[in-house]
């Protein structure tokens, strides 16, 4: 221990300026979010002109629009982040090369210290300088932000992991080379090459028939856990080899071997090596008895899309109706969240439909491998639910045809709230891949498997008064009506409505579009005053959400499933006891492009652009702009939260699934078998 | 007991054979100087002894331990100073000594202070700002302060100005006089070695030419001058031990590498009847040069 301490002390003495500089950068990066929150007053100033027809731009443009914010982004995102990484790499290189294993005249080689001890000393230096001190900075920042003790460790492991991912490979490079500049260049090349190798199979897989297998849950384990472990273990092995045997050839061989193993893993993601090790996808208790459902196969809109890739897509729409599904709690709802289906063709060949749906919605679910894209559940009498939640009645039923794009659990729509016996959902857009040879068979297949869905609770957790009125200045620190558009012929200007041909149903020639910005600030990074405010709004676990999102893995999400919750908003007019549902147009989880990661704070600003449309169900001409203004003047913003509670598995069995090649046959509704 | 023993120690760098079949014995308590021209294999030998470089073949024992297995315990008994040493130059003299001290349980702070004073080193100055000689002195203090049983010096005089070299040599002589030190020093600076060494080894082209006690070497080497009688013809054959033989008029000069009082004179009288013989001691430098010439002549 004494020897270790001598070396650590010596390393500190030598690198003290560089280390202090790096730690200052870390501290600054940790402080930046708070400075940002304290000294920049608006993310979305009132004067910012919205582009109503291009809603996807609103958030981002707003974020980048103003000088102070730009300075913040520049500093946090580029200057500090770059400094952080470059300093760290140079520190690591300096620590190793101060007592290099391959310099034949290195002074330490003549000192009475063994290679093993020197390696231990270097490890201790890394642990203290690059592990312990940054961890203290991290925790210190969290404490100063008023984070509760049980949250201090949140994100710390991830933070340390990211540091290790820089430290260990850089240390391995430094052990293999003698000159710092050369080592730095080689390290940069190594990282770049690593990235290329990491991405190559992905590029390759796109051209493969079964690229759909790419996002298996078990592959997630390979890709996001085993691959980095191999990388770090390889780097550590190179260090051990170099200090133990002092043979560069051996070190390079170990490095090449490690890269080879990692690359093999990367190439073989589709092999479920780790299937048995995968965390159960949803650790929710199953109810004692599953409810009965009926499953109805519907005529397909579009069965096969053959394209330049040797695969086809099939859409199988079907209705799922719960015939005996009772939820007794107000606000209880259920969601289909996963499907494990397979399709067997008449010739006995089968297709696993584990790429059911789309992957591009939400990080946490991207890894599932079988998201259901367009899911929704319709309560028979959702007004009853809203009543039970004390919100009065839900106006109109126009959504029954048009709310097909419920993106993610975090953007849950309240129309799925129900307490009635019957409920059904329709999945018109689910798709899976089919090999080209099956496209031409046209034989009826059999669909079997199961659909997993969960039941959870919606709770009314916050009412934010005075969001409306006075043509709609920001009312709170966190919420504000950005703009209200009263759009004549709103259908034409609202793409998703236009797409659904609402106008053909003689609805909504006048639409009130209410653009509301909801900002939440991660309590991890918010100054204490904001934390207090956040707590008063029951936002204590916002950080859990963002941490989960930052980690970006389904597995981690589900481990913390109990903490996972989804927020959504309704506009509520207490006088009229009416509710308008928010259609979430943008969910901008502005994590500064990861710029805070170096500081270890999972600081995120969740900017949600909510879009309410206010119009009458039956006769749009009855609504005038004044009506809308009057309605909004009394409105309150109500935040609801959904928490999953139970898990159900429903067996599925469908015969006579027919596929056709749309390149040969015009797309049309196929008859139901 | 021998402090260093090598057996057929060899080292190749690709096609170049830097050291070839070196058999060397360094007894305890001596100052052994390994002499040789640049590129003779001195530093390579020392690096193999210190396990800084693996040997291609052969073995070396240092303090009774295979040099490839030198442990911290042995290294704590060996002091090493080399011209090519990669010292932590960012340290001050004081920091460097403070850094080295905890590694050696036998560190003698009083000796450290004495040597610091003797060598007149500026403690607060960084090593990189010291002259070459001062750096070597600092390294020497760090190598002497713990009373190593074996002190290995690789080209310690290289690049030092004469005054510093003299200081350095005197320091070493003082140290060597203080106790049971064994000093193994490589150099091509013969004058300094002559003041210092008890034993001499000469290495050339990676091969050890000889290794012998300096006293015995100096005893058996003599410069002989013979003034022939005018009637005596020049000899046709001469003993092989007569090196660098040359004639000028009646004067014959050579180095006798096997001088023995009386015998050499008798042999000269046989070859040069009536001649007068003068024998004078030969400095180490001349012995070294003579042998070098002789070996090259032989090789030719």
């Amino acid at each position: 221990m004494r020897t270790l301490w001598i070396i650590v002390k010596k390393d500190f003495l030598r690198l003290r300026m560089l280390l202090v500089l790096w730690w200052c950068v870390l501290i600054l990066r940790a402080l930046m979010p708070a400075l940002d929150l304290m000294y920049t007053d608006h993310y979305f100033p009132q004067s910012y002109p919205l582009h109503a027809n291009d809603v996807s731009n609103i958030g981002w443009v707003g974020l980048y629009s103003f000088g102070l914010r730009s300075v913040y982004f520049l500093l946090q995102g580029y200057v500090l982040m770059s400094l952080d990484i470059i300093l760290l790499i140079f520190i690591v290189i300096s620590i190793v090369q101060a007592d290099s294993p391959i310099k034949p005249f290195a002074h330490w080689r003549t000192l009475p210290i063994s290679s093993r001890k020197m390696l231990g000393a270097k490890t201790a230096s890394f642990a203290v300088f690059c592990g312990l001190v940054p961890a203290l900075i991290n925790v210190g920042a969290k404490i100063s932000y008023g984070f509760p003790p049980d949250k201090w460790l949140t994100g710390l492991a991830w933070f340390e992991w990211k540091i290790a991912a820089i430290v260990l490979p850089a240390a391995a490079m430094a052990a293999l080379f003698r000159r710092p500049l050369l080592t730095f260049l080689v390290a940069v090349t190594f990282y770049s090459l690593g990235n290329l190798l990491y991405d190559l199979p992905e590029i390759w897989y796109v051209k493969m028939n079964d690229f759909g297998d790419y996002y298996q849950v078990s592959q997630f384990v390979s890709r996001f856990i085993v691959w980095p472990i191999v990388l770090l273990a390889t780097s550590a092995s190179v260090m051990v080899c170099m200090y133990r045997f002092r043979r560069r050839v051996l070190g390079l061989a170990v490095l090449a071997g490690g890269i080879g193993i990692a690359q093999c893993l990367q190439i073989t993601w589709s092999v479920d090596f780790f299937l048995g090790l995968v965390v159960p996808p949803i650790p929710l208790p199953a109810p004692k008895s599953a409810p009965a459902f009926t499953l109805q196969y519907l005529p397909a809109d579009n069965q096969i899309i053959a394209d330049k890739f040797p695969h086809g897509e099939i859409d199988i729409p079907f209705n799922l109706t719960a015939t005996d599904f009772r939820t007794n709690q107000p606000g209880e709802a259920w969601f289909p969240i996963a499907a494990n289906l397979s399709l067997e063709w008449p010739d006995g060949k089968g297709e696993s439909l584990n790429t059911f749906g789309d992957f591009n919605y939400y990080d946490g679910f991207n890894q599932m491998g079988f998201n259901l894209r367009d899911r929704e559940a319709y309560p028979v009498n959702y007004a009853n639910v809203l009543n039970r939640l004390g919100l009065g009645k839900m106006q109109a039923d126009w959504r029954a045809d048009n709310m097909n794009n419920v993106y993610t659990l975090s953007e849950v729509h309240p129309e799925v709230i129900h307490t009635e016996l019957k409920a059904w959902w329709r999945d018109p857009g689910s798709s899976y891949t089919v090999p080209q040879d099956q496209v031409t068979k046209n034989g009826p297949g059999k669909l079997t498997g199961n659909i997993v869905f969960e039941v959870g609770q919606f709770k009314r957790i916050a009412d934010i008064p005075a969001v409306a009125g006075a043509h709609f200045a920001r009312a709170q620190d966190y919420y504000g009506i950005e703009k209200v558009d009263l759009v004549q012929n709103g259908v034409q200007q609202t793409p998703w409505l236009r797409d659904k041909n609402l106008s053909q149903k003689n609805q909504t020639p006048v639409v009130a579009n209410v653009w509301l910005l909801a900002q939440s600030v991660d309590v991890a990074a918010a100054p204490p005053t904001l934390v207090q405010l956040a707590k008063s709004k029951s936002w204590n676990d916002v950080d859990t959400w963002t941490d989960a999102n930052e980690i970006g893995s389904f597995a981690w999400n589900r481990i913390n499933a109990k903490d996972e919750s989804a927020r959504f908003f309704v506009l509520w007019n207490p006088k009229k006891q009416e509710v308008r549902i928010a259609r979430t147009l943008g969910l901008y989880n502005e994590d500064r492009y990861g710029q805070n990661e170096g500081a270890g704070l999972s600081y995120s600003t969740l900017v949600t652009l909510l879009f309410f449309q206010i119009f009458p169900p039956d006769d749009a001409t009855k609504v005038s702009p004044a009506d809308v203004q009057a309605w909004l003047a009394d409105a309150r913003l109500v935040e609801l939260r959904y928490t999953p509670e139970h898990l159900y598995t429903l067996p599925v069995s469908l015969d006579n699934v027919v596929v056709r090649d749309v390149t040969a046959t015009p797309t049309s509704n196929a008859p139901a078998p | 007991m021998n402090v260093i023993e090598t057996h057929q120690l060899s080292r190749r760098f690709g096609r170049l054979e830097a050291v070839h079949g070196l058999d060397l014995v360094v007894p305890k308590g001596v100052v052994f100087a390994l002499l040789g021209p640049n590129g003779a294999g001195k530093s390579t030998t020392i690096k193999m002894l210190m396990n800084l470089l693996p040997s291609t073949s052969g073995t070396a024992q240092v303090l009774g331990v295979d040099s490839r297995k030198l442990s911290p315990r042995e290294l704590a008994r060996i002091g090493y100073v080399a011209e090519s040493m990669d010292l932590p130059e960012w340290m001050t003299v004081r920091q460097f000594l403070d850094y080295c001290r905890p590694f050696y349980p036998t560190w003698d702070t009083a000796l450290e202070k004495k040597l610091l004073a003797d060598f007149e080193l500026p403690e607060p100055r960084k090593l990189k700002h010291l002259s070459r000689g001062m750096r070597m002195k600092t390294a020497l203090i760090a190598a002497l302060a713990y009373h190593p049983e074996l002190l290995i010096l690789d080209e310690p005089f290289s690049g030092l100005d004469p005054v510093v070299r003299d200081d350095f040599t005197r320091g070493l002589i003082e140290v060597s006089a203080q106790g049971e030190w064994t000093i193994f020093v490589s150099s091509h600076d013969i004058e300094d070695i002559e003041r210092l060494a008890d034993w001499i080894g000469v290495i050339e082209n990676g091969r050890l030419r000889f290794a012998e006690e300096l006293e015995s070497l100096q005893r058996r080497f003599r410069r002989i001058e013979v003034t022939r009688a005018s009637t005596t013809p020049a000899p046709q054959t001469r003993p092989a031990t007569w090196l660098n033989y040359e004639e000028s008029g009646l004067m014959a000069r050579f180095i006798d590498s096997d001088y023995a009082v009386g015998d050499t004179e008798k042999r000269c009288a046989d070859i040069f009847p009536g001649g007068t013989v003068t024998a004078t001691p030969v400095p180490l430098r001349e012995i070294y040069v003579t042998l070098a010439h002789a070996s090259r002549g032989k090789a030719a």
Side-chain angles (χ1 to χ4, degrees), chain B residues 173-219:
Chain B
I173 292 168
E174 269 178 40
V175 163
S176 64
Q178 278 173 11
E180 287 285 300
W181 307 72
T182 303
I183 300 177
F184 185 84
V185 55
S186 81
S187 181
H188 56 267
D189 283 310
I190 297 164
E191 284 83 359
D192 296 304
I193 288 297
E194 191 169 9
R195 293 167 59 195
L196 189 66
D198 307 325
W199 277 67
I200 300 291
V202 173
I203 187 169
E204 230 181 33
N205 295 328
R207 290 157 202 269
L208 187 69
R209 294 292 170 209
F210 68 88
E212 190 175 347
E213 257 185 297
L214 181 62
E215 202 183 311
S216 131
L217 199 64
Q218 285 175 331
R219 200 168 45 229

Side-chain angles (χ1 to χ4, degrees), chain A residues 2 6 10 105 110 112 246, chain B residues 47 51 72 80 86 91 102 104:
Chain A
R2 190 159 172 260
I6 294 166
K10 188 259 294 182
F105 311 122
T110 63
R246 302 200 295 261
Chain B
K47 276 171 205 151
N51 193 26
Y80 173 73
D86 194 5
M91 287 186 183
Y104 302 96

Side-chain angles (χ1 to χ4, degrees), chain A residues 333-353:
Chain A
W334 60 284
F335 298 92
I337 59 165
N340 301 300
L341 299 176
S342 63
L343 186 60
E344 188 176 303
W345 301 102
D347 61 3
K349 289 183 180 174
E351 298 298 330
S352 177
L353 307 190

Side-chain angles (χ1 to χ4, degrees), chain A residues 81-102:
Chain A
M81 187 177 71
S82 308
L83 256 182
D84 178 1
I85 294 171
I86 290 170
L87 282 174
L88 178 57
I89 291 177
F90 265 111
I91 286 167
V92 171
I93 290 173
S94 302
I95 288 175
V96 174
Q97 292 188 339
D99 299 293
S100 167
I102 58 162

Side-chain angles (χ1 to χ4, degrees), chain B residues 38 42-43 81-84 131-136 153-162 164-165 168-169 185-190 192-193:
Chain B
N38 290 330
K42 304 183 296 293
S43 293
V81 179
E83 175 203 12
S84 53
S131 67
R132 190 186 180 84
M134 283 177 162
R135 269 209 300 275
M136 292 298 280
L153 307 170
D154 187 7
E155 297 282 7
F157 310 112
S158 172
L160 302 186
D161 65 62
V164 176
R165 194 149 53 182
F168 197 87
T169 313
V185 55
S186 81
S187 181
H188 56 267
D189 283 310
I190 297 164
D192 296 304
I193 288 297

